[in-house]
C-alpha cells in the first residue's frame, strides 16, 4: 500500500552537488553575517573592563558595580523573549536600545542612574539567536554552507572575545570614558546598518528565471526572515529540545569557568592579575585558531554529526578533570609545571566548548524550519541567561568551600551531561531505525526488544559505525522520504 508523505515546512534547498566555484561564490553571502556575529559578541563583553576602571576612577563602591553587572546579565532574558515573538527582526529595536544607552552615558558621564541605564540597555543587545537565524536563512537549506557559516561565525565570536577585552581598555587609557561610549555607539549603529542592508536585499524583487545559482536561491530563502509562521512548542520534536538543553549546559559550564579560573590562577598558581587577562585572551585566540584550522585537520577531528558533538561535549568534561588534577598537583612541589597544565586544560575546554556550540547550532538550524528555530533558539537563550547568572554566582560561592570544589563539581556535571546526551542521541537513532523497520515491513509492530538503555546503547553503537549524518537523516525522516533515504541520510 502506498503511504502518504508527511507534510513539512517548506525549505529552500540548494543543489546538493554545487560546483566549487558556485559554493565559493555563495560563501561571499555570509560576510555580513560573520560581521554581525563579531559585532554582537563585541558589544556583549564591551563594558566589563572600562566600566570597572571608570567606577574606580569615580570612587564607586564595589557593591554598586556588582549590582550594575547583575542588571546587565539579567536583562538579557528580555531580548531573547522578544526573539520568540517576532524572530530575527528583534535585533533592530534591541540595537537601538544599545545605542541609546551609549549616547545617554556619554551625555551624563557622572550620573549613577546613567550607569545603571547603560547596563540595562546594553544588556538588551543580546543578538546571538538573531545571527543564528540569519545564517540559517542565508544557507537556503544547504547543510555544507550552513556548517561553514556557523563555523565562521563561531570564529568571529572568539576573535571578538579577544577584541572586547583589549580594545575598550586601550581606548579608555587614551581617550577616557567618553571615547569608549562613542566607540560603543558606533559599533551598535554599524550593526543596525548591516542588518538593515540584509532586510532591504531580502525585500528586493527577483526577476523571473533569475534564480539560477546558489547565491540567488539563498537570497530567496532569506525572505523567510520577513514572514511570520507561528509554530506550537508541542510540535517540536523532543530531540531538538534535548540539543537545546545541551546548549544551555555549555553556557552554565562557561560561566562557571569564567568565575573559577581567574581565582585559581591568582590564588593557587600565583599569577598576577594583569597576567590573568592575557592568559584568558590567548585562550580565545587558541579557540579561534582551532575553529579556523578544523576543516584542514585529519578525519579524526572531523567526524560526522552527531559523533563530533559527542566527542567535543565529552572533551569539556575531560578538560574539567584535567584542571582538577592540575590544582591537586599544585599542592605537591615535586610536580613539574602544574600551572601550565592548568592553562592548557582551560584552552582545551574553550576549544571543545566552541566546537560543541557550533555543532549544536548546526543540528538545530539544519533540521528545523525558520519558525521552529526561532522558538527553540529564543527559549534556549532565555534559559542560557538564567543558567549563566547561576553559573557566575555559584562559581564564586563554591570557591569559599575550597579552590577545587567548583572544578570537581563541573567535572562530574560534564561527565553526567555527556553520558545523558549520548544516550538520548542513541535513543533517537534507535527510534528512527525502529520506524524505518516498520515502513519496510509495511505493518505496525512494536519497537526493538530490550530496555530503553539497551536500545539507546545500540543506537549509539550505530551512530559510531554507520557514518550517517544527523542532519541528513533527520531531514529525510521528517520529510517522509523512503526508508533507504532515511537510513543513508541522502
Amino acid at each position: 500500500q502506498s503511504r502518504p508523505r508527511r507534510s513539512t515546512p517548506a525549505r529552500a534547498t540548494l543543489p546538493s552537488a554545487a560546483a566549487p566555484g558556485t559554493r565559493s561564490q555563495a560563501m561571499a553571502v555570509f560576510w555580513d553575517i560573520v560581521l554581525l556575529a563579531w559585532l554582537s559578541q563585541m558589544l556583549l563583553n564591551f563594558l566589563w573592563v572600562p566600566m570597572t576602571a571608570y567606577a574606580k576612577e569615580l570612587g564607586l563602591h564595589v557593591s554598586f558595580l556588582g549590582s550594575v553587572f547583575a542588571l546587565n546579565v539579567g536583562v538579557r532574558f528580555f531580548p531573547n523573549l522578544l526573539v520568540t515573538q517576532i524572530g530575527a527582526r528583534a535585533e533592530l529595536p534591541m540595537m537601538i536600545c544599545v545605542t541609546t544607552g551609549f549616547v545617554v552615558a556619554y551625555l551624563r558621564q557622572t550620573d549613577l542612574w546613567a550607569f545603571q541605564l547603560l547596563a540595562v540597555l546594553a544588556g538588551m543587545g543580546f543578538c546571538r539567536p538573531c545571527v543564528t537565524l540569519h545564517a540559517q536563512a542565508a544557507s537556503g537549506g544547504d547543510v555544507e554552507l550552513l556548517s561553514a557559516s556557523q563555523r565562521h561565525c563561531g570564529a568571529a565570536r572568539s576573535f571578538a572575545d579577544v577584541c572586547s577585552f583589549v580594545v575598550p581598555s586601550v581606548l579608555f587609557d587614551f581617550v577616557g570614558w567618553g571615547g569608549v561610549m562613542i566607540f560603543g555607539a558606533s559599533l551598535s549603529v554599524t550593526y543596525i546598518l548591516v542588518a538593515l542592508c540584509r532586510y532591504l536585499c531580502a525585500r528586493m524583487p527577483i526577476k523571473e528565471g533569475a534564480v539560477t545559482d546558489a547565491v540567488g536561491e539563498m537570497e530567496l530563502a532569506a525572505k523567510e526572515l520577513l514572514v511570520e509562521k507561528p509554530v506550537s512548542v508541542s510540535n517540536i520534536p523532543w530531540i531538538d529540545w534535548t540539543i537545546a538543553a545541551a546548549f544551555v549546559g555549555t553556557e552554565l559550564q562557561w560561566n562557571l569557568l569564567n568565575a573559577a579560573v581567574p581565582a585559581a590562577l591568582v590564588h593557587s598558581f600565583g599569577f598576577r592579575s594583569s597576567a590573568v587577562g592575557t592568559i584568558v585572551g590567548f585562550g580565545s585566540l587558541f579557540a579561534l585558531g582551532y575553529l579556523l584550522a578544523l576543516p584542514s585537520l585529519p578525519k579524526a577531528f572531523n567526524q560526522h554529526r552527531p559523533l563530533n558533538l559527542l566527542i567535543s561535549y565529552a572533551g569539556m568534561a575531560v578538560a574539567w578533570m584535567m584542571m582538577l588534577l592540575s590544582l591537586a598537583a599544585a599542592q605537591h612541589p615535586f610536580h613539574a609545571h602544574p600551572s601550565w597544565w592548568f592553562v592548557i586544560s582551560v584552552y582545551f575546554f574553550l576549544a571543545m566548548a566552541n566546537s560543541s556550540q557550533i555543532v549544536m547550532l548546526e543540528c538545530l538550524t539544519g533540521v528545523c524550519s525558520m519558525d521552529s528555530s526561532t522558538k527553540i533558539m529564543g527559549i534556549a537563550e532565555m534559559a542560557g541567561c538564567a543558567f549563566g547568572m547561576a553559573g557566575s554566582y555559584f562559581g564564586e560561592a563554591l570557591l569559599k568551600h575550597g579552590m577545587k570544589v567548583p572544578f570537581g563539581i563541573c567535572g562530574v556535571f560534564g561527565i553526567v551531561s555527556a553520558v545523558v546526551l549520548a544516550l538520548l542521541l542513541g535513543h533517537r537513532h534507535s527510534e528512527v531505525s525502529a520506524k524505518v523497520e516498520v515502513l519496510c515491513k509495511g505493518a505496525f509492530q512494536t519497537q526493538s526488544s530490550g530496555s530503553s538503555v539497551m536500545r539507546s546503547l545500540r543506537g549509539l553503537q550505530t551512530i559510531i559505525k554507520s557514518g550517517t549524518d544527523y542532519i541528513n537523516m533527520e531531514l529525510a525522516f521528517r520529510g517522509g522520504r523512503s526508508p533507504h533515504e532515511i537510513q543513508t541520510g541522502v
Side-chain angles (χ1 to χ4, degrees):
Q1 296 180 350
S2 62
R3 171 176 162 271
R5 297 172 66 90
R6 277 175 282 182
S7 62
T8 57
R11 301 175 58 89
T13 56
L14 299 180
S16 58
T22 303
R23 287 196 178 278
S24 61
Q25 183 185 12
M27 273 307 299
V29 176
F30 293 112
W31 73 266
D32 53 347
I33 301 177
V34 173
L35 178 59
L36 291 177
W38 183 85
L39 288 168
S40 63
Q41 189 69 20
M42 183 78 175
L43 289 167
L44 192 65
N45 300 319
F46 186 81
L47 291 173
W48 297 109
V49 176
M51 185 172 279
T52 302
Y54 191 55
K56 181 180 180 180
E57 186 176 295
L58 294 177
L60 299 176
H61 197 270
V62 176
S63 60
F64 173 80
L65 191 61
S67 65
V68 169
F69 285 146
L71 277 174
N72 179 264
V73 176
V75 80
R76 295 176 187 177
F77 175 90
F78 297 101
N80 290 303
L81 178 62
L82 189 60
V83 170
T84 64
Q85 302 302 314
I86 64 175
R89 290 170 297 175
E91 65 194 350
L92 297 178
M94 288 155 56
M95 278 299 163
I96 290 174
C97 289
V98 175
T99 306
T100 303
F102 283 122
V103 171
V104 172
Y106 173 78
L107 296 175
R108 307 302 295 265
Q109 297 187 22
T110 58
D111 292 336
L112 298 185
W113 65 266
F115 247 59
Q116 295 170 324
L117 181 65
L118 173 63
V120 171
L121 295 181
M124 290 294 294
F126 191 81
C127 292
R128 182 169 59 188
C130 301
V131 175
T132 301
L133 294 174
H134 278 302
Q136 179 181 3
S139 66
D142 187 285
V143 176
E144 292 184 27
L145 288 174
L146 176 64
S147 178
S149 66
Q150 295 291 5
R151 186 172 62 251
H152 282 82
C153 286
R157 292 188 185 100
S158 296
F159 182 57
D161 285 333
V162 180
C163 296
S164 61
F165 285 103
V166 174
V167 175
S169 59
V170 173
L171 280 175
F172 182 81
D173 290 338
F174 282 93
V175 296
W177 178 251
V180 173
M181 294 299 97
I182 293 175
F183 182 67
S186 68
L187 292 177
S188 57
V189 170
T190 302
Y191 188 103
I192 293 173
L193 294 176
V194 175
L196 283 175
C197 287
R198 288 201 56 80
Y199 291 114
L200 292 176
C201 291
R203 288 185 182 274
M204 290 176 60
I206 300 176
K207 295 181 180 179
E208 184 177 358
V211 184
T212 56
D213 60 7
V215 176
E217 292 199 25
M218 283 190 295
E219 291 173 349
L220 184 63
K223 290 179 180 288
E224 290 189 50
L225 275 172
L226 306 173
V227 181
E228 291 189 31
K229 300 177 182 177
V231 62
S232 172
V233 171
S234 60
N235 293 333
I236 298 175
W238 65 267
I239 189 63
D240 295 340
W241 291 115
T242 298
I243 296 176
F247 185 90
V248 173
T250 62
E251 290 291 304
L252 175 62
Q253 295 182 61
W254 214 315
N255 281 274
L256 279 165
L257 182 94
N258 290 336
V261 165
L265 290 172
V266 172
H267 297 291
S268 294
F269 299 107
F271 283 95
R272 298 175 59 184
S273 299
S274 58
V276 173
T278 303
I279 291 172
V280 174
F282 273 106
S284 298
L285 282 177
F286 177 82
L288 169 65
Y290 175 76
L291 294 177
L292 293 177
L294 188 58
S296 304
L297 296 178
K299 181 174 171 41
F301 294 88
N302 289 280
Q303 296 292 332
H304 61 279
R305 289 174 292 253
L307 183 57
N308 57 353
L309 171 59
L310 295 176
I311 292 174
S312 58
Y313 211 84
M316 291 191 294
V318 173
W320 283 115
M321 301 310 296
M322 291 169 59
M323 286 183 253
L324 180 62
L325 291 175
S326 299
L327 283 171
Q331 300 176 353
H332 299 280
F334 298 105
H335 192 281
H337 307 298
S339 61
W340 293 112
W341 282 111
F342 182 84
V343 172
I344 291 171
S345 303
V346 173
Y347 288 3
F348 181 64
F349 175 89
L350 293 174
M352 294 298 100
N354 276 280
S355 179
S356 295
Q357 288 198 341
I358 288 173
V359 178
M360 284 185 281
L361 291 176
E362 291 174 7
C363 291
L364 287 174
T365 57
V367 302
C368 297
S369 61
M370 185 62 64
D371 48 340
S372 296
S373 295
T374 301
K375 290 288 185 183
I376 294 172
M377 292 306 304
I379 294 175
E381 293 288 7
M382 287 164 58
C385 289
F387 278 91
M389 289 183 64
S392 299
Y393 172 77
F394 285 114
E396 294 286 348
L398 291 172
L399 287 171
K400 298 178 181 178
H401 301 281
M403 191 60 64
K404 293 183 287 187
V405 172
F407 296 93
I409 291 178
C410 286
V412 173
F413 175 82
I415 293 172
V416 172
S417 59
V419 170
V420 171
L421 178 62
L423 290 175
L424 290 176
L425 286 171
H427 182 79
R428 175 62 173 180
H429 198 285
S430 177
E431 180 182 68
V432 173
S433 299
K435 292 182 179 180
V436 168
E437 187 177 352
V438 170
L439 297 177
C440 291
K441 294 187 177 181
F444 177 79
Q445 66 179 38
T446 59
Q447 291 189 6
S448 305
S449 60
S451 65
S452 178
V453 175
M454 292 305 299
R455 291 198 299 271
S456 298
L457 291 175
R458 284 196 293 268
L460 184 59
Q461 185 179 21
T462 306
I463 288 174
I464 297 173
K465 292 183 178 180
S466 67
T468 303
D469 183 77
Y470 171 85
I471 295 178
N472 292 332
M473 184 188 74
E474 285 289 329
L475 286 176
F477 177 67
R478 300 182 192 192
R481 301 179 189 174
S482 68
H484 173 73
E485 290 176 317
I486 296 174
Q487 288 178 320
T488 57
V490 298

